[in-house]
């Protein structure tokens, strides 16, 4: 599983978040995508690494700009009573 974090310039409200999330879902097969206009950030979880150039173009087509992009392996953190 891959986690991709984008810093995005131009998001100002919940509709901005929705536009970005919808564009990502249409262009890529992802497990989860969530955006925060307050943080200026979008987080994407996918089975395989995403094409970074295609991702930047997809976001640009919605009227926003990708400022930075970080991608790396993601492991779901489980909840356990035994880890205390």
């Amino acid at each position: 599983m891959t986690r991709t974090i984008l810093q995005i310039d131009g998001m100002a409200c919940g509709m901005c978040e929705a536009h970005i999330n919808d564009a990502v879902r249409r262009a890529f097969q992802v497990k989860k995508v969530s955006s925060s206009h307050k943080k200026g950030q979008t987080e994407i979880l996918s089975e395989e690494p995403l094409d970074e150039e295609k991702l930047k173009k997809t976001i640009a087509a919605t009227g926003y700009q990708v400022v930075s992009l970080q991608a790396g392996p993601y492991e779901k953190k489980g909840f356990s009573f035994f880890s205390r």
Side-chain angles (χ1 to χ4, degrees):
M1 186 91 79
T2 300
R3 177 178 170 195
T4 305
I5 298 175
L6 308 170
Q7 288 301 125
I8 298 177
D9 187 36
M11 285 194 290
C13 64
M15 283 305 293
C16 298
E17 297 169 358
H19 287 141
I20 290 173
N21 293 348
D22 290 344
V24 170
R25 286 187 192 104
R26 281 193 303 271
F28 300 94
Q29 287 195 324
V30 297
K31 292 288 186 183
K32 181 180 177 185
V33 58
S34 61
S35 297
S36 169
H37 70 278
K38 291 181 182 178
K39 293 180 182 178
Q41 183 173 303
T42 296
E43 182 176 338
I44 305 165
L45 297 180
S46 57
E47 287 294 333
E48 300 295 325
L50 302 177
D51 179 336
E52 293 181 9
E53 286 306 311
K54 182 180 176 185
L55 187 54
K56 288 177 182 179
K57 287 179 183 177
T58 299
I59 300 299
T62 63
Y64 306 97
Q65 180 182 359
V66 175
V67 178
S68 69
L69 185 149
Q70 295 177 321
Y74 174 78
E75 284 188 34
K76 186 174 180 179
K77 295 178 175 71
F79 177 77
S80 174
F81 289 109
F82 302 108
S83 64
R84 296 182 186 182

